[in-house]
Amino acid sequence: MLLFAQLVNGLQLGSIYALIALGYSMVYGIIKLLNFAHGDVIMVGGYISLMIIATGTHPMVAVVMAVVGCALLAVMIYRLAYVPQGPTAPRLSLLIAAIGVSMLLQNLAQLIFSANIHSFPANDIIPMVIYSVGGVNISLASIMTIVSAVSSMAGLTLLVHKTKTGQAMLAVSEDTGAAQLMGVNVRSIVTFTFAIGAGLAGIGSILYCVRFPIVSPMMGALPGLKAFVAAVLGGIGSIPGAMIGGFAIGLFEALVNSAGLSTWTDGIVFAILIVVLLVRPTGFMGPSMAEKV
């Protein structure tokens, strides 16, 4: 019974990591950029939803506005921080810009909202309803989180493989130059990718605040890094890989916590990243790398 309960907890947490990891994978798959500002988009989504709920607006409006706000923020980050460097900018320059944007967002949040931790009204988003399944209590929040993650991945997969925009995304990912010659507006596709990835992070932000009902300027740092580990574990650039990696990290955390090693959880998660980079740098579902000898 205890093991089943921990599996549910792990899937709930893993679903949040998976939603955030999808954003990392999508952006990296298109322009080979590790957008380390992605984690702080989660923090912004938390503050947006908190402010809207505080006005007495319906919580679902807060959810929608958080998703839209995160998407618009990501587009602004892309347009203001990455585009001016040009398409031939070194990856290291883009990476440094991403870290700079991350620090800027954290400090702006502290300046505007202070460094204090704010309580989040999680029950307004998803009521505290508990179901008993085989003697194990499962919350409605856990069910909604897992369903949201799986349905988001399914919708994203359909978008990529069944729509014209998705085909353009695949084309840009495969060969940017050839895609431009075929008439694909690369900048628009990349902008759309940033928006979709951040929108998924906005959903993840709401679900994270439901699981851990607090909002603070630094709240996005750790889940953002763990989602990055999940993306690398599953194969960064792969949509199914991001989901599998997210679920794997969530389940692993739950099992480590159940073993009474909660203080070691974060360290062990990042140790997994080191092992994966040493053993299989492309992750579970990433392409095999051919090496000439």
Side-chain angles (χ1 to χ4, degrees), residues 64-116:
V64 173
M65 292 304 296
V67 173
V68 173
C70 288
L72 292 176
L73 175 62
V75 172
M76 288 179 57
I77 292 172
Y78 170 65
R79 294 285 188 175
L80 298 178
Y82 303 142
V83 170
Q85 299 190 54
T88 59
R91 299 302 172 197
L92 181 59
S93 298
L94 296 174
L95 179 61
I96 293 172
I99 296 173
V101 171
S102 173
M103 297 179 66
L104 174 64
L105 291 175
Q106 291 174 10
N107 283 277
L108 279 177
Q110 292 187 44
L111 181 64
I112 297 171
F113 302 104
S114 80
N116 296 329

Short mmCIF file of all heavy atoms in Angstrom, two decimals, residues 64-116:
data_model
loop_
_atom_site.label_atom_id
_atom_site.label_comp_id
_atom_site.label_asym_id
_atom_site.label_seq_id
_atom_site.Cartn_x
_atom_site.Cartn_y
_atom_site.Cartn_z
N VAL A 64 -5.65 30.36 -16.86
CA VAL A 64 -5.48 30.75 -18.26
C VAL A 64 -4.53 31.92 -18.39
O VAL A 64 -3.64 31.94 -19.26
CB VAL A 64 -6.85 31.10 -18.88
CG1 VAL A 64 -6.67 31.68 -20.28
CG2 VAL A 64 -7.75 29.88 -18.92
N MET A 65 -4.66 32.91 -17.52
CA MET A 65 -3.80 34.08 -17.59
C MET A 65 -2.36 33.74 -17.26
O MET A 65 -1.42 34.33 -17.82
CB MET A 65 -4.32 35.16 -16.65
CG MET A 65 -5.65 35.76 -17.06
SD MET A 65 -5.59 36.45 -18.74
CE MET A 65 -4.39 37.74 -18.54
N ALA A 66 -2.15 32.79 -16.37
CA ALA A 66 -0.79 32.37 -16.05
C ALA A 66 -0.13 31.71 -17.26
O ALA A 66 1.04 31.98 -17.58
CB ALA A 66 -0.79 31.40 -14.86
N VAL A 67 -0.88 30.87 -17.96
CA VAL A 67 -0.35 30.20 -19.15
C VAL A 67 -0.05 31.22 -20.24
O VAL A 67 1.04 31.21 -20.85
CB VAL A 67 -1.34 29.14 -19.66
CG1 VAL A 67 -0.88 28.57 -20.99
CG2 VAL A 67 -1.51 28.03 -18.63
N VAL A 68 -1.00 32.13 -20.48
CA VAL A 68 -0.80 33.17 -21.50
C VAL A 68 0.36 34.09 -21.12
O VAL A 68 1.20 34.45 -21.96
CB VAL A 68 -2.09 33.98 -21.70
CG1 VAL A 68 -1.84 35.17 -22.64
CG2 VAL A 68 -3.19 33.10 -22.26
N GLY A 69 0.43 34.47 -19.84
CA GLY A 69 1.51 35.34 -19.38
C GLY A 69 2.87 34.71 -19.54
O GLY A 69 3.83 35.37 -19.97
N CYS A 70 2.97 33.43 -19.23
CA CYS A 70 4.25 32.72 -19.40
C CYS A 70 4.65 32.65 -20.87
O CYS A 70 5.82 32.83 -21.22
CB CYS A 70 4.15 31.31 -18.82
SG CYS A 70 4.09 31.26 -17.01
N ALA A 71 3.67 32.40 -21.74
CA ALA A 71 3.96 32.33 -23.17
C ALA A 71 4.44 33.68 -23.69
O ALA A 71 5.42 33.76 -24.45
CB ALA A 71 2.71 31.88 -23.92
N LEU A 72 3.76 34.77 -23.30
CA LEU A 72 4.17 36.10 -23.75
C LEU A 72 5.55 36.47 -23.20
O LEU A 72 6.36 37.09 -23.90
CB LEU A 72 3.14 37.13 -23.31
CG LEU A 72 1.76 37.03 -23.99
CD1 LEU A 72 0.80 38.05 -23.38
CD2 LEU A 72 1.89 37.24 -25.49
N LEU A 73 5.82 36.09 -21.96
CA LEU A 73 7.13 36.37 -21.37
C LEU A 73 8.23 35.66 -22.15
O LEU A 73 9.29 36.24 -22.43
CB LEU A 73 7.16 35.92 -19.91
CG LEU A 73 8.51 36.04 -19.20
CD1 LEU A 73 8.98 37.49 -19.15
CD2 LEU A 73 8.44 35.45 -17.80
N ALA A 74 7.99 34.40 -22.52
CA ALA A 74 9.00 33.65 -23.28
C ALA A 74 9.26 34.29 -24.64
O ALA A 74 10.40 34.34 -25.10
CB ALA A 74 8.54 32.20 -23.45
N VAL A 75 8.20 34.77 -25.28
CA VAL A 75 8.37 35.45 -26.57
C VAL A 75 9.21 36.71 -26.38
O VAL A 75 10.10 37.01 -27.20
CB VAL A 75 6.99 35.78 -27.18
CG1 VAL A 75 7.16 36.67 -28.41
CG2 VAL A 75 6.26 34.50 -27.55
N MET A 76 8.95 37.46 -25.32
CA MET A 76 9.73 38.67 -25.05
C MET A 76 11.19 38.33 -24.80
O MET A 76 12.10 39.02 -25.29
CB MET A 76 9.15 39.40 -23.84
CG MET A 76 7.83 40.09 -24.08
SD MET A 76 7.21 40.91 -22.58
CE MET A 76 8.59 42.00 -22.20
N ILE A 77 11.43 37.26 -24.04
CA ILE A 77 12.81 36.85 -23.77
C ILE A 77 13.53 36.50 -25.07
O ILE A 77 14.68 36.91 -25.32
CB ILE A 77 12.84 35.65 -22.81
CG1 ILE A 77 12.35 36.07 -21.42
CG2 ILE A 77 14.23 35.05 -22.72
CD1 ILE A 77 12.16 34.92 -20.46
N TYR A 78 12.84 35.77 -25.94
CA TYR A 78 13.44 35.38 -27.21
C TYR A 78 13.74 36.60 -28.07
O TYR A 78 14.84 36.74 -28.61
CB TYR A 78 12.51 34.42 -27.95
CG TYR A 78 12.93 34.16 -29.38
CD1 TYR A 78 14.13 33.51 -29.65
CD2 TYR A 78 12.13 34.55 -30.44
CE1 TYR A 78 14.52 33.27 -30.97
CE2 TYR A 78 12.51 34.32 -31.74
CZ TYR A 78 13.72 33.68 -32.01
OH TYR A 78 14.11 33.46 -33.30
N ARG A 79 12.77 37.51 -28.16
CA ARG A 79 12.92 38.67 -29.03
C ARG A 79 13.96 39.66 -28.51
O ARG A 79 14.69 40.28 -29.30
CB ARG A 79 11.57 39.39 -29.17
CG ARG A 79 10.51 38.58 -29.89
CD ARG A 79 10.75 38.54 -31.39
NE ARG A 79 9.63 37.92 -32.10
CZ ARG A 79 9.55 37.85 -33.42
NH1 ARG A 79 10.50 38.37 -34.17
NH2 ARG A 79 8.52 37.26 -34.00
N LEU A 80 14.04 39.82 -27.19
CA LEU A 80 14.91 40.85 -26.62
C LEU A 80 16.31 40.34 -26.25
O LEU A 80 17.27 41.11 -26.27
CB LEU A 80 14.25 41.46 -25.38
CG LEU A 80 12.91 42.17 -25.62
CD1 LEU A 80 12.35 42.68 -24.29
CD2 LEU A 80 13.08 43.33 -26.60
N ALA A 81 16.41 39.06 -25.90
CA ALA A 81 17.70 38.55 -25.42
C ALA A 81 18.43 37.69 -26.43
O ALA A 81 19.67 37.67 -26.45
CB ALA A 81 17.48 37.74 -24.13
N TYR A 82 17.70 36.97 -27.29
CA TYR A 82 18.35 36.03 -28.20
C TYR A 82 18.42 36.52 -29.64
O TYR A 82 19.46 36.41 -30.29
CB TYR A 82 17.63 34.68 -28.14
CG TYR A 82 17.57 34.07 -26.77
CD1 TYR A 82 16.44 33.38 -26.32
CD2 TYR A 82 18.63 34.20 -25.88
CE1 TYR A 82 16.38 32.84 -25.06
CE2 TYR A 82 18.58 33.65 -24.61
CZ TYR A 82 17.45 32.98 -24.20
OH TYR A 82 17.40 32.44 -22.95
N VAL A 83 17.32 37.09 -30.15
CA VAL A 83 17.29 37.55 -31.54
C VAL A 83 18.36 38.60 -31.83
O VAL A 83 19.03 38.53 -32.87
CB VAL A 83 15.89 38.07 -31.91
CG1 VAL A 83 15.91 38.76 -33.27
CG2 VAL A 83 14.89 36.91 -31.94
N PRO A 84 18.56 39.61 -30.96
CA PRO A 84 19.56 40.64 -31.27
C PRO A 84 20.98 40.09 -31.45
O PRO A 84 21.81 40.76 -32.08
CB PRO A 84 19.49 41.57 -30.05
CG PRO A 84 18.10 41.42 -29.53
CD PRO A 84 17.79 39.97 -29.74
N GLN A 85 21.26 38.91 -30.92
CA GLN A 85 22.60 38.34 -31.07
C GLN A 85 22.81 37.74 -32.46
O GLN A 85 23.95 37.43 -32.83
CB GLN A 85 22.85 37.28 -30.00
CG GLN A 85 22.79 37.84 -28.59
CD GLN A 85 23.27 36.83 -27.57
OE1 GLN A 85 24.36 36.30 -27.66
NE2 GLN A 85 22.43 36.56 -26.56
N GLY A 86 21.73 37.56 -33.21
CA GLY A 86 21.86 37.07 -34.58
C GLY A 86 21.86 35.56 -34.66
O GLY A 86 22.15 34.86 -33.67
N PRO A 87 21.55 35.02 -35.83
CA PRO A 87 21.46 33.56 -35.99
C PRO A 87 22.81 32.85 -35.91
O PRO A 87 22.85 31.64 -35.73
CB PRO A 87 20.84 33.41 -37.39
CG PRO A 87 21.22 34.67 -38.10
CD PRO A 87 21.21 35.76 -37.06
N THR A 88 23.89 33.59 -36.08
CA THR A 88 25.22 32.95 -36.04
C THR A 88 25.91 33.15 -34.70
O THR A 88 27.10 32.89 -34.58
CB THR A 88 26.10 33.52 -37.17
OG1 THR A 88 26.23 34.95 -36.98
CG2 THR A 88 25.49 33.24 -38.53
N ALA A 89 25.18 33.61 -33.70
CA ALA A 89 25.78 33.85 -32.38
C ALA A 89 26.28 32.54 -31.78
O ALA A 89 25.64 31.50 -31.91
CB ALA A 89 24.76 34.48 -31.45
N PRO A 90 27.43 32.56 -31.12
CA PRO A 90 27.94 31.34 -30.47
C PRO A 90 26.96 30.84 -29.42
O PRO A 90 26.29 31.63 -28.75
CB PRO A 90 29.25 31.81 -29.82
CG PRO A 90 29.63 33.06 -30.54
CD PRO A 90 28.34 33.70 -30.95
N ARG A 91 26.87 29.53 -29.27
CA ARG A 91 25.95 28.95 -28.29
C ARG A 91 26.29 29.40 -26.88
O ARG A 91 25.41 29.54 -26.03
CB ARG A 91 25.99 27.42 -28.37
CG ARG A 91 25.58 26.87 -29.72
CD ARG A 91 24.18 27.29 -30.11
NE ARG A 91 23.84 26.92 -31.47
CZ ARG A 91 22.84 27.44 -32.14
NH1 ARG A 91 22.07 28.36 -31.58
NH2 ARG A 91 22.59 27.05 -33.38
N LEU A 92 27.58 29.63 -26.63
CA LEU A 92 27.98 30.08 -25.29
C LEU A 92 27.40 31.45 -24.98
O LEU A 92 26.96 31.71 -23.85
CB LEU A 92 29.51 30.12 -25.19
CG LEU A 92 30.08 30.55 -23.82
CD1 LEU A 92 29.60 29.60 -22.73
CD2 LEU A 92 31.61 30.59 -23.87
N SER A 93 27.34 32.33 -25.98
CA SER A 93 26.77 33.66 -25.78
C SER A 93 25.28 33.57 -25.44
O SER A 93 24.78 34.27 -24.55
CB SER A 93 26.95 34.52 -27.03
OG SER A 93 28.32 34.72 -27.31
N LEU A 94 24.58 32.69 -26.15
CA LEU A 94 23.15 32.50 -25.87
C LEU A 94 22.93 31.91 -24.49
O LEU A 94 21.99 32.28 -23.78
CB LEU A 94 22.54 31.60 -26.94
CG LEU A 94 22.55 32.14 -28.38
CD1 LEU A 94 22.03 31.08 -29.34
CD2 LEU A 94 21.71 33.40 -28.48
N LEU A 95 23.82 30.99 -24.10
CA LEU A 95 23.71 30.38 -22.78
C LEU A 95 23.92 31.42 -21.68
O LEU A 95 23.18 31.45 -20.69
CB LEU A 95 24.73 29.24 -22.64
CG LEU A 95 24.76 28.51 -21.29
CD1 LEU A 95 23.42 27.85 -21.02
CD2 LEU A 95 25.88 27.48 -21.27
N ILE A 96 24.93 32.27 -21.86
CA ILE A 96 25.19 33.33 -20.88
C ILE A 96 24.01 34.29 -20.81
O ILE A 96 23.61 34.75 -19.74
CB ILE A 96 26.49 34.08 -21.24
CG1 ILE A 96 27.69 33.14 -21.07
CG2 ILE A 96 26.66 35.32 -20.37
CD1 ILE A 96 28.99 33.72 -21.57
N ALA A 97 23.42 34.60 -21.98
CA ALA A 97 22.23 35.47 -22.00
C ALA A 97 21.07 34.83 -21.24
O ALA A 97 20.35 35.52 -20.50
CB ALA A 97 21.82 35.75 -23.44
N ALA A 98 20.89 33.51 -21.39
CA ALA A 98 19.82 32.81 -20.68
C ALA A 98 20.02 32.89 -19.17
O ALA A 98 19.07 33.14 -18.41
CB ALA A 98 19.76 31.36 -21.14
N ILE A 99 21.26 32.69 -18.73
CA ILE A 99 21.54 32.79 -17.29
C ILE A 99 21.31 34.21 -16.80
O ILE A 99 20.78 34.44 -15.71
CB ILE A 99 22.99 32.34 -17.02
CG1 ILE A 99 23.16 30.85 -17.37
CG2 ILE A 99 23.36 32.58 -15.56
CD1 ILE A 99 24.58 30.35 -17.29
N GLY A 100 21.70 35.20 -17.62
CA GLY A 100 21.46 36.60 -17.24
C GLY A 100 19.99 36.92 -17.12
O GLY A 100 19.57 37.61 -16.19
N VAL A 101 19.18 36.42 -18.06
CA VAL A 101 17.73 36.64 -17.98
C VAL A 101 17.15 35.99 -16.74
O VAL A 101 16.28 36.56 -16.07
CB VAL A 101 17.04 36.11 -19.25
CG1 VAL A 101 15.52 36.12 -19.09
CG2 VAL A 101 17.45 36.93 -20.47
N SER A 102 17.65 34.80 -16.41
CA SER A 102 17.18 34.11 -15.21
C SER A 102 17.44 34.95 -13.96
O SER A 102 16.54 35.13 -13.12
CB SER A 102 17.89 32.76 -15.09
OG SER A 102 17.59 32.13 -13.86
N MET A 103 18.65 35.48 -13.83
CA MET A 103 18.99 36.30 -12.67
C MET A 103 18.18 37.60 -12.66
O MET A 103 17.76 38.08 -11.61
CB MET A 103 20.49 36.60 -12.67
CG MET A 103 21.36 35.35 -12.54
SD MET A 103 23.12 35.71 -12.58
CE MET A 103 23.31 36.64 -11.06
N LEU A 104 17.94 38.16 -13.85
CA LEU A 104 17.13 39.38 -13.95
C LEU A 104 15.71 39.14 -13.44
O LEU A 104 15.17 39.95 -12.66
CB LEU A 104 17.10 39.86 -15.39
CG LEU A 104 16.19 41.06 -15.68
CD1 LEU A 104 16.67 42.30 -14.93
CD2 LEU A 104 16.12 41.33 -17.19
N LEU A 105 15.10 38.04 -13.87
CA LEU A 105 13.73 37.74 -13.44
C LEU A 105 13.66 37.51 -11.94
O LEU A 105 12.72 37.97 -11.27
CB LEU A 105 13.21 36.51 -14.20
CG LEU A 105 12.95 36.69 -15.70
CD1 LEU A 105 12.56 35.37 -16.33
CD2 LEU A 105 11.88 37.74 -15.94
N GLN A 106 14.64 36.81 -11.39
CA GLN A 106 14.64 36.55 -9.95
C GLN A 106 14.75 37.84 -9.16
O GLN A 106 14.04 38.05 -8.17
CB GLN A 106 15.79 35.61 -9.59
CG GLN A 106 15.63 34.19 -10.10
CD GLN A 106 16.85 33.33 -9.85
OE1 GLN A 106 17.77 33.74 -9.13
NE2 GLN A 106 16.88 32.15 -10.45
N ASN A 107 15.63 38.73 -9.60
CA ASN A 107 15.83 39.98 -8.86
C ASN A 107 14.65 40.94 -9.05
O ASN A 107 14.30 41.69 -8.13
CB ASN A 107 17.14 40.64 -9.29
CG ASN A 107 18.36 39.98 -8.67
OD1 ASN A 107 18.74 40.26 -7.54
ND2 ASN A 107 18.96 39.05 -9.41
N LEU A 108 14.04 40.93 -10.24
CA LEU A 108 12.85 41.75 -10.44
C LEU A 108 11.71 41.28 -9.53
O LEU A 108 10.97 42.11 -8.97
CB LEU A 108 12.42 41.68 -11.91
CG LEU A 108 13.16 42.58 -12.89
CD1 LEU A 108 12.65 42.33 -14.32
CD2 LEU A 108 12.99 44.05 -12.52
N ALA A 109 11.58 39.97 -9.41
CA ALA A 109 10.53 39.43 -8.53
C ALA A 109 10.77 39.85 -7.08
O ALA A 109 9.83 40.20 -6.36
CB ALA A 109 10.48 37.91 -8.65
N GLN A 110 12.03 39.83 -6.65
CA GLN A 110 12.34 40.26 -5.28
C GLN A 110 12.07 41.74 -5.10
O GLN A 110 11.59 42.19 -4.05
CB GLN A 110 13.80 39.96 -4.95
CG GLN A 110 14.11 38.48 -4.85
CD GLN A 110 15.52 38.22 -4.37
OE1 GLN A 110 16.00 38.84 -3.44
NE2 GLN A 110 16.20 37.28 -5.01
N LEU A 111 12.36 42.54 -6.14
CA LEU A 111 12.14 43.98 -6.06
C LEU A 111 10.64 44.31 -6.00
O LEU A 111 10.22 45.20 -5.25
CB LEU A 111 12.78 44.66 -7.28
CG LEU A 111 12.67 46.19 -7.36
CD1 LEU A 111 13.43 46.83 -6.21
CD2 LEU A 111 13.19 46.68 -8.69
N ILE A 112 9.85 43.58 -6.78
CA ILE A 112 8.41 43.88 -6.86
C ILE A 112 7.63 43.25 -5.72
O ILE A 112 6.77 43.89 -5.10
CB ILE A 112 7.86 43.39 -8.21
CG1 ILE A 112 8.53 44.15 -9.37
CG2 ILE A 112 6.34 43.58 -8.27
CD1 ILE A 112 8.19 43.59 -10.73
N PHE A 113 7.92 41.98 -5.42
CA PHE A 113 7.11 41.24 -4.44
C PHE A 113 7.82 41.01 -3.12
O PHE A 113 7.24 40.41 -2.21
CB PHE A 113 6.69 39.89 -5.02
CG PHE A 113 5.92 39.99 -6.30
CD1 PHE A 113 6.52 39.71 -7.52
CD2 PHE A 113 4.59 40.38 -6.30
CE1 PHE A 113 5.81 39.80 -8.71
CE2 PHE A 113 3.88 40.48 -7.48
CZ PHE A 113 4.49 40.19 -8.70
N SER A 114 9.08 41.43 -3.01
CA SER A 114 9.95 41.18 -1.86
C SER A 114 10.42 39.72 -1.87
O SER A 114 9.91 38.90 -2.64
CB SER A 114 9.25 41.50 -0.52
OG SER A 114 8.39 40.45 -0.12
N ALA A 115 11.36 39.42 -1.01
CA ALA A 115 11.91 38.06 -0.97
C ALA A 115 11.09 37.13 -0.08
O ALA A 115 11.44 35.96 0.09
CB ALA A 115 13.35 38.10 -0.46
N ASN A 116 10.00 37.64 0.48
CA ASN A 116 9.16 36.84 1.37
C ASN A 116 8.44 35.73 0.60
O ASN A 116 8.14 35.87 -0.59
CB ASN A 116 8.14 37.71 2.08
CG ASN A 116 8.80 38.72 3.00
OD1 ASN A 116 9.86 38.47 3.55
ND2 ASN A 116 8.17 39.89 3.15
#
